[in-house]
Amino acid sequence: HSVVLLRLRREKETMSAAMSQRRVAVIGGGVSGLSAAWHLKANTDYDVELFEAEETLGGHAHTTNVNGTDVDIGFMVFNHTNYPNMVRWFEALGVEEEDSDMSLSVSLDGGKSVEWSSDGLNGLFAKRSQVLSPSYYTFLQDMLRFNQEAAEILLLPDDDPRKHITTGQYLRENGYSNAFGTYYLLPMMAALWSASLEDVLRFPAAQLIGFLCNHKMLQLFDRPQWKTVAGRSVKYTSKIQEILGKAAHTSCPISAVKKGSDSTYTLYGSDESEEYRGFHQIIFACHPPTAKAILSHGSDGVVDIDLLGLLSNIEYEDNVVYVHSDPTLMPKRKHAWASWNCLGKADELKTLQKSSGAKKGEAFEGAESGFGNTASKVHSDDHLEGEEGRMKAVYVTYWLNRLQNLDTDQDIFVSLNPHQRPNASLTHKRVTLAHPQFNLKTLEARKTLKEYQGLKGIWFAGAWSGYGFHEDGCRSGFEVATALSGVPLPWAGENDLVLAPPNLAEAQMKSSWLFNGVSKLYKNLSYHLPIAICKRFIMGFLRQAIIHGNLNVKLNDGSIMSFGDGTPCGSDKSPVTLRVFDEWFFVKTALEYDLGLARSYMAGHFVVEPLANQKDYHPVLKPASERDETSTTIGDPVGLTRLFLLLIGNRDRLLPTHEPHKAGRGSYSNAMTNASGLIISKIGSLLNYMRYKLTMDNSEKGGSLRNIHAHYDLSNDLFKIFLDKDTLMYSCAIFDAVKAPSPQTGLIFRGSLEEAQWRKLDTYLARAQVQPGQKLLDIGFGWGGLSLRAATKYGCQVTGITLSVEQKALAQQRVKDAGVEHLVTFEVCDYRTFCRRKENLGKFDRIVSCEMIEAVGHDHLGEFFWAVEQVLAQDGILVMGAITTPEQRYETYIRSTDFINTIIFPGSCCPSLHALVDTAYKNSCLTLEHIDNIGLHYAQTLAHWRRRFNAGEDQVRALGFDDVFMRAWNYYLTYCESGFFSQTENMLILVFSRQGCSSLVPLCETRSVTQATPFTEEQVSNYLEE
């Protein structure tokens, strides 16, 4: 008997020791902490303790008493379809529910602009004059369309960039009216998500639509039956407290966590005199910024610094919550009152909407911010309440009597961040609650945070891990608790630990008209049939066009179509893989060819996938020392360069070595030859060309001004992000470079972009033989880099002309900062107008035009040379930087359109050298005297710009630019880079003068005529080592 007792005692001690290794601390008593602690306590043998800083458990499940009536001011409603774990949890706890109401209203300007509710026709036309308002019917029409098609975004693959666009971009790209945004979506989302309008416009559209699906709000009428906790949420939180008993510590904030030598964690209270020892696992069910603060104290060497960065990137915003009975914070008309009431100012909503997207008809298709945006213009202040607060456009008031079936004659409301405080005598309570902000930074951080779950016994849970709902919070707690213990929830499926989140899109679209027969027929005819036809054309075209190299086209179903023989072509021998997300890509490309490919990429229909091995990239295109620029939004930008080089390599293999000019070669029929080999695209190419000719002419009276405005006036702050910091030159730099050693081709570069731009400026001024004190005209001065150099280095009297108001403003400030206002004068003026002025005739000793000739246009080249000669002194010199097109392609080029001259630089034309020389001869007495080709340096310059642009993505987005702009700008920079890298576009420095120009005598000196001795292989090797 004694032996048996001894064995039992030893087994008990062994079990006790095992249990001591299963102690879990839960920090945070909100829904995530409660669900995790409940499961570990009720369904496992883990020893769990919960620590909550507040006096009561629940977090946003916050119940308060108003004159004897319990009301909830945080978590209020749920439904059986989209809250599966919470509903089953409540059943297990014995928590009762009752029906609720989820009606919605919007009231702007005190009901003067618009006022409506979803409570039948009487509510819809609460303001009777809306019956006669066309904009109101436009809003209703767009609402129905949005409700029918919005959920489709949730069905996109996670790597599809269109799934990650902002709300502002979604509204613009899908053609929704201002009335729809102003009267419905924007005020509703700003109010319900407790976010500023600026944040809503930058809010991920998929997150927003997921919210609407989850709350069954993608229908105006016949919404499902919502539920609320009978007796308020305190009923369920108190049951959890009973189950946890003394293991639930309230009014117990945790300030630090330390890991001891025995590998257990010790938690410290607010003054660190309170210690809670012996925990092997910690679940942080508090807000991530709070978790970061706790982990930052006393956990040196335990927590990864990157983890702390991720936690800080999951952002929260405080919101002031008033519980009151003041009806002035409700819609003006009683029959517009609803459970959820959005109240705001129409002007604020319209202003923010207007700034969120480019107006139709603007030449640059990817510009979201309008023009001249600066960071200060889009940042909002940090006030929480009041008419100038963070929610100055709209706020929300909940009518609790209707929402929670209150048994009282007194109206009780909850208002978040109201524009005016409720009457003090009618105010019952004021609290501050924090809500997660689901911006791109938060979404990226929470995705990466999954990799840290459970490492070193540390876990994270919260509603921020989903859509921010109570179901997300409890599921997150359950997921951590079940992963930690390996014990499934009692109601989980046979092979599951937790009930999976509902498929929001599928649930919504089952009841959507999109799935009826008429809709399917329409989509088949308007979408699937064009794709099927155009896909066959594109496949056939690629089989003929891609002979060398390897192009892979990967579709959503996993299928891959390959083209080419695999021999090296372009920049390397590795395949270029297009990941096609939307097969409308085939339609766009088939109908518009070059422009269709560009527009398809801008729309997010495809990206180029990165190579698996960094060593497979060409070392100049992607140096090993540079950061990887690949992202979901843009794919691999270096991959875009590789794609263009592959296309160029296959295009140029077909070019004959010599093709004599034929009669009619310059006819308008050549407008379609840029799409030769792809017959279906010829009509689209011709239409694009006609639009180009009719709307993008560089005429003196408005045409040039409009085209310059479309690009250069986008935003000075934008260009500062990627141009060199010293000169702000938006033109080809000249790097320190030598010929690459065999077998590599091209040049090897070194030095910074800033050094290269200074070298470029000095080269231009040296080619112009600039002398101290001369008068210099800078045509198209940009941000004043060359003008400043001429004034500060040579003391020149500089006059600069431009058509960009934004450039002039910044350039003048730079001149003032440099203290050379007495030497430099800038003016907004067309070069033709300027050169006609009598006082300017023969005035300038030197004229420099650095990459301005491209904005002149082929039809106006003669006007440029005529104008320059009018103001050039007799012995003067013109130095021109010109991007040029090879003569062999020029005739076709000027009778067609491409991505650059239509979207990026409207109306532009990169002339051929022959066109420049011929036009100069016909329209002036100027003669070409000297040429330098620095095209390979331009490829390197563009690569520097692209890297800086992508590294500054957060700054670009802060200016109001969106995904379309990010893709458009990457397409532009890589498109141009490939042309210069392949030497199929040239960058020439040209020197013109009249005959007998004595100022050019130095160009005849031996040191100018002869070239420097080439480097030996040993010298090249030493150069590379340096």
Side-chain angles (χ1 to χ4, degrees):
H1 180 68
S2 61
V3 172
V4 172
L5 289 176
L6 179 63
R7 186 172 69 246
L8 290 173
R9 188 182 301 116
R10 287 178 177 174
E11 288 178 355
K12 185 176 181 180
E13 290 174 354
T14 301
M15 290 177 64
S16 177
M19 284 296 295
S20 69
Q21 298 295 317
R22 299 163 72 88
R23 295 197 67 215
V24 180
V26 178
I27 301 176
V31 62
S32 299
L34 294 179
S35 60
W38 173 82
H39 179 62
L40 293 173
K41 181 76 173 179
N43 302 310
T44 75
D45 56 2
Y46 276 76
D47 180 13
V48 61
E49 293 192 42
L50 182 145
F51 302 87
E52 167 57 42
E54 299 297 329
E55 296 179 358
T56 59
L57 299 178
H60 280 217
H62 187 115
T63 303
T64 190
N65 189 274
V66 177
N67 299 327
T69 301
D70 283 342
V71 297
D72 281 335
I73 63 174
F75 162 64
M76 299 181 188
V77 294
F78 61 95
N79 67 63
H80 283 213
T81 303
N82 294 334
Y83 291 68
N85 288 289
M86 203 186 75
V87 169
R88 299 298 297 275
W89 187 29
F90 283 178
E91 291 175 356
L93 292 172
V95 174
E96 296 181 357
E97 63 185 34
E98 59 187 27
D99 291 348
S100 180
D101 174 86
M102 276 282 285
S103 55
L104 171 74
S105 79
V106 174
S107 177
L108 302 181
D109 302 321
K112 296 177 182 177
S113 296
V114 69
E115 191 164 81
W116 65 273
S117 81
S118 61
D119 193 10
L121 290 176
N122 192 37
L124 195 60
F125 294 97
K127 182 186 177 186
R128 302 310 189 203
S129 61
Q130 288 165 181
V131 175
L132 303 176
S133 172
S135 63
Y136 192 73
Y137 288 105
T138 300
F139 137 66
L140 292 176
Q141 181 181 359
D142 277 350
M143 180 192 288
L144 293 174
R145 180 165 68 91
F146 180 80
N147 293 346
Q148 292 160 356
E149 65 188 25
E152 290 183 334
I153 193 173
L154 302 178
L155 300 176
L156 298 175
D158 287 339
D159 60 346
D160 190 329
R162 295 171 301 155
K163 194 171 185 175
H164 306 280
I165 63 175
T166 64
T167 298
Q169 184 179 338
Y170 180 88
L171 294 177
R172 185 180 64 257
E173 290 186 2
N174 289 278
Y176 288 103
S177 64
N178 284 333
F180 171 71
T182 302
Y183 297 166
Y184 175 56
L185 191 69
L186 298 182
M188 179 180 66
M189 296 319 302
L192 302 187
W193 228 304
S194 306
S196 68
L197 253 294
E198 294 93 336
D199 289 337
V200 168
L201 289 168
R202 292 194 290 267
F203 204 85
Q207 196 80 15
L208 179 150
I209 292 168
F211 176 95
L212 297 176
C213 285
N214 191 84
H215 282 72
K216 299 291 185 180
M217 297 175 76
L218 288 183
Q219 56 254 36
L220 185 58
F221 304 110
D222 300 322
R223 289 180 173 170
Q225 182 60 61
W226 280 82
K227 302 289 183 177
T228 189
V229 177
R232 311 291 71 83
S233 59
V234 68
K235 295 296 184 181
Y236 99 77
T237 59
S238 60
K239 287 180 180 290
I240 302 296
Q241 189 153 19
E242 289 175 11
I243 294 170
L244 295 178
K246 293 181 179 180
H249 306 276
T250 56
S251 300
C252 187
I254 300 300
S255 62
V257 170
K258 293 183 181 179
K259 193 170 188 178
S261 57
D262 61 350
S263 296
T264 64
Y265 289 101
T266 299
L267 279 58
Y268 294 88
S270 56
D271 59 3
E272 295 199 9
S273 62
E274 302 172 76
E275 296 183 4
Y276 306 91
R277 295 179 174 273
F279 294 102
H280 297 88
Q281 308 274 347
I282 301 178
I283 300 174
F284 284 93
C286 50
H287 296 167
T290 304
K292 181 204 171 186
I294 295 172
L295 289 170
S296 297
H297 292 84
S299 56
D300 295 343
V302 176
V303 179
D304 191 318
I305 190 73
D306 292 335
L307 171 60
L308 298 180
L310 290 173
L311 293 172
S312 64
N313 283 342
I314 299 175
E315 299 178 355
Y316 273 71
E317 289 282 0
D318 286 338
N319 295 282
V320 175
V321 180
Y322 285 97
V323 184
H324 64 94
S325 297
D326 188 349
T328 62
L329 273 63
M330 286 288 284
K332 177 182 178 181
R333 299 164 180 86
K334 192 69 179 279
H335 46 272
W337 285 22
S339 296
W340 300 34
N341 305 272
C342 306
L343 301 97
K345 305 172 186 175
D347 286 344
E348 290 288 345
L349 290 164
K350 291 176 181 176
T351 299
L352 289 166
Q353 256 194 287
K354 182 178 179 181
S355 68
S356 73
K359 299 170 282 296
K360 286 188 177 181
E362 293 288 5
F364 185 66
E365 297 175 8
E368 183 193 39
S369 68
F371 297 91
N373 254 18
T374 62
S376 61
K377 290 183 181 179
V378 296
H379 286 172
S380 61
D381 57 50
D382 296 323
H383 299 301
L384 295 181
E385 54 183 318
E387 293 194 3
E388 294 303 318
R390 186 170 60 88
M391 301 287 294
K392 62 183 179 180
V394 66
Y395 66 95
V396 64
T397 294
Y398 303 102
W399 187 15
L400 300 190
N401 302 65
R402 186 167 181 174
L403 198 60
Q404 298 175 14
N405 307 313
L406 302 184
D407 186 16
T408 177
D409 294 332
Q410 182 183 27
D411 285 324
I412 302 177
F413 311 113
V414 167
S415 295
L416 273 68
N417 305 320
H419 290 171
Q420 62 274 343
R421 295 181 180 183
N423 188 309
S425 65
L426 298 174
T427 300
H428 310 298
K429 190 170 185 176
R430 181 184 186 274
V431 297
T432 300
L433 295 177
H435 295 82
Q437 302 299 298
F438 293 103
N439 50 40
L440 291 173
K441 184 187 294 186
T442 292
L443 297 183
E444 288 297 323
R446 75 179 192 184
K447 184 189 304 180
T448 309
L449 192 59
K450 293 178 181 179
E451 301 171 7
Y452 290 86
Q453 288 285 32
L455 290 182
K456 299 180 181 179
I458 294 177
W459 304 80
F460 302 94
W464 50 265
S465 64
Y467 288 98
F469 317 132
H470 225 60
E471 168 71 14
D472 295 301
C474 76
R475 185 178 64 250
S476 177
F478 287 144
E479 286 174 342
V480 168
T482 54
L484 186 156
S485 65
V487 178
L489 293 175
W491 55 83
E494 184 176 343
N495 299 315
D496 298 318
L497 295 175
V498 180
L499 291 181
N503 187 324
L504 304 180
E506 183 180 353
Q508 167 63 26
M509 299 186 76
K510 279 182 179 178
S511 61
S512 172
W513 72 281
L514 286 174
F515 283 80
N516 65 34
V518 174
S519 150
K520 285 184 177 180
L521 177 61
Y522 174 78
K523 192 164 186 177
N524 284 335
L525 293 175
S526 63
Y527 182 77
H528 294 296
L529 181 60
I531 286 176
I533 295 172
C534 293
K535 189 174 181 179
R536 294 192 64 180
F537 274 100
I538 291 295
M539 294 298 104
F541 171 73
L542 290 177
R543 278 190 287 271
Q544 297 179 39
I546 306 298
I547 301 300
H548 302 307
N550 185 211
L551 175 66
N552 293 331
V553 179
K554 184 189 296 186
L555 304 180
N556 282 333
D557 60 6
S559 62
I560 298 176
M561 294 168 285
S562 295
F563 307 90
D565 59 10
T567 58
C569 183
S571 63
D572 52 62
K573 61 182 180 181
S574 299
V576 176
T577 302
L578 301 191
R579 171 67 172 93
V580 177
F581 302 105
D582 189 338
E583 294 191 17
W584 198 253
F585 154 82
F586 296 109
V587 178
K588 293 293 291 183
T589 306
L591 295 181
E592 297 184 79
Y593 199 62
D594 177 33
L595 266 174
L597 183 68
R599 286 173 172 149
S600 185
Y601 176 76
M602 289 167 60
H605 294 165
F606 77 94
V607 297
V608 180
E609 292 188 343
L611 296 176
N613 193 335
Q614 161 71 32
K615 295 181 180 179
D616 291 336
Y617 287 96
H618 190 289
V620 173
L621 292 181
K622 190 172 184 177
S625 59
E626 296 294 340
R627 64 180 284 273
D628 185 13
E629 302 168 70
T630 304
S631 73
T632 302
T633 301
I634 62 175
D636 178 18
V638 181
L640 275 177
T641 306
R642 296 177 59 245
L643 170 65
F644 297 136
L645 290 171
L646 177 65
L647 297 176
I648 290 171
N650 279 278
R651 177 198 68 187
D652 291 351
R653 71 177 174 82
L654 300 173
L655 292 177
T657 55
H658 177 67
E659 181 182 347
H661 282 270
K662 299 178 181 178
R665 185 173 180 177
S667 69
Y668 279 95
S669 64
N670 282 289
M672 298 190 292
T673 60
N674 71 329
S676 58
L678 189 55
I679 298 173
I680 195 173
S681 72
K682 293 189 175 183
I683 296 175
S685 295
L686 179 59
L687 292 175
N688 280 326
Y689 175 72
M690 296 305 296
R691 175 176 176 268
Y692 166 81
K693 294 296 290 184
L694 293 172
T695 64
M696 299 182 187
D697 178 53
N698 287 294
S699 61
E700 184 175 357
K701 295 182 179 180
S704 290
L705 178 64
R706 182 176 60 253
N707 291 337
I708 292 297
H709 168 74
H711 185 92
Y712 295 96
D713 285 346
L714 280 171
S715 167
N716 284 336
D717 285 350
L718 169 69
F719 290 99
K720 285 180 182 178
I721 292 170
F722 67 91
L723 298 181
D724 73 289
K725 306 306 179 186
D726 295 344
T727 71
L728 287 182
M729 290 301 295
Y730 193 23
S731 52
C732 180
I734 301 178
F735 291 85
D736 183 7
V738 298
K739 185 179 181 299
S742 181
Q744 188 177 328
T745 59
L747 297 176
I748 297 294
F749 300 92
R750 69 179 180 186
S752 68
L753 179 61
E754 282 72 17
E755 293 169 343
Q757 289 293 12
W758 284 120
R759 187 179 293 111
K760 183 270 298 294
L761 292 178
D762 289 339
T763 299
Y764 269 73
L765 296 173
R767 292 292 181 270
Q769 305 297 319
V770 170
Q771 302 300 313
Q774 287 184 326
K775 292 180 179 179
L776 183 146
L777 175 63
D778 188 354
I779 302 179
F781 59 78
W783 289 277
L786 189 140
S787 297
L788 281 165
R789 188 63 167 173
T792 55
K793 183 176 182 178
Y794 294 97
C796 291
Q797 293 283 339
V798 182
T799 299
I801 57 175
T802 184
L803 289 177
S804 171
V805 176
E806 289 290 316
Q807 285 186 330
K808 176 177 178 286
L810 179 55
Q812 282 185 319
Q813 183 60 49
R814 297 183 71 218
V815 168
K816 182 179 180 180
D817 294 343
V820 290
E821 292 174 281
H822 61 295
L823 293 176
V824 181
T825 302
F826 290 141
E827 182 179 353
V828 174
C829 183
D830 188 278
Y831 66 92
R832 289 158 286 201
T833 303
F834 180 86
C835 294
R836 285 197 192 93
R837 296 175 184 168
K838 292 183 179 179
E839 64 270 22
N840 292 331
L841 295 179
K843 178 179 179 178
F844 297 98
D845 304 296
R846 302 291 184 265
I847 298 178
V848 180
S849 174
C850 186
E851 295 182 38
M852 175 269 179
I853 194 67
E854 299 81 12
V856 168
H858 175 79
D859 294 337
H860 301 280
L861 292 176
E863 297 172 19
F864 177 82
F865 282 102
W866 173 88
V868 165
E869 190 177 24
Q870 304 310 301
V871 298
L872 187 64
Q874 183 59 39
D875 205 39
I877 299 172
L878 163 67
V879 173
M880 174 195 298
I883 300 172
T884 61
T885 301
E887 277 70 13
Q888 190 170 22
R889 290 190 287 111
Y890 189 61
E891 290 297 325
T892 296
Y893 166 71
I894 62 174
R895 288 171 174 81
S896 60
T897 57
D898 62 17
F899 172 67
I900 298 298
N901 65 23
T902 302
I903 295 176
I904 298 296
F905 297 99
S908 64
C909 172
C910 297
S912 68
L913 177 60
H914 174 268
L916 290 171
V917 174
D918 186 59
T919 307
Y921 153 71
K922 292 178 178 178
N923 296 275
S924 72
C925 296
L926 298 177
T927 300
L928 179 63
E929 300 281 357
H930 187 84
I931 303 177
D932 295 292
N933 190 344
I934 57 172
L936 286 173
H937 292 261
Y938 218 152
Q940 184 73 355
T941 303
L942 288 154
H944 273 269
W945 289 345
R946 188 199 69 241
R947 293 177 194 130
R948 294 185 179 204
F949 176 81
N950 288 329
E953 179 178 354
D954 288 345
Q955 297 167 268
V956 174
R957 292 188 183 278
L959 290 169
F961 295 99
D962 63 1
D963 288 5
V964 175
F965 186 88
M966 292 297 300
R967 287 192 287 268
W969 217 253
N970 272 275
Y971 197 95
Y972 146 52
L973 294 172
T974 57
Y975 186 91
C976 295
E977 179 189 1
S978 63
F980 292 112
F981 186 87
S982 62
Q983 296 178 271
T984 54
E985 288 291 313
N986 298 315
M987 175 60 222
L988 306 181
I989 301 177
L990 306 172
V991 180
F992 289 87
S993 71
R994 298 184 183 90
Q995 60 182 352
C997 179
S998 61
S999 299
L1000 287 176
V1001 168
L1003 289 180
C1004 298
E1005 294 180 7
T1006 302
R1007 62 184 178 86
S1008 296
V1009 175
T1010 59
Q1011 294 183 340
T1013 304
F1015 274 13
T1016 63
E1017 289 187 8
E1018 181 179 357
Q1019 287 174 313
V1020 171
S1021 178
N1022 293 335
Y1023 178 94
L1024 293 176
E1025 289 180 5
E1026 294 175 7

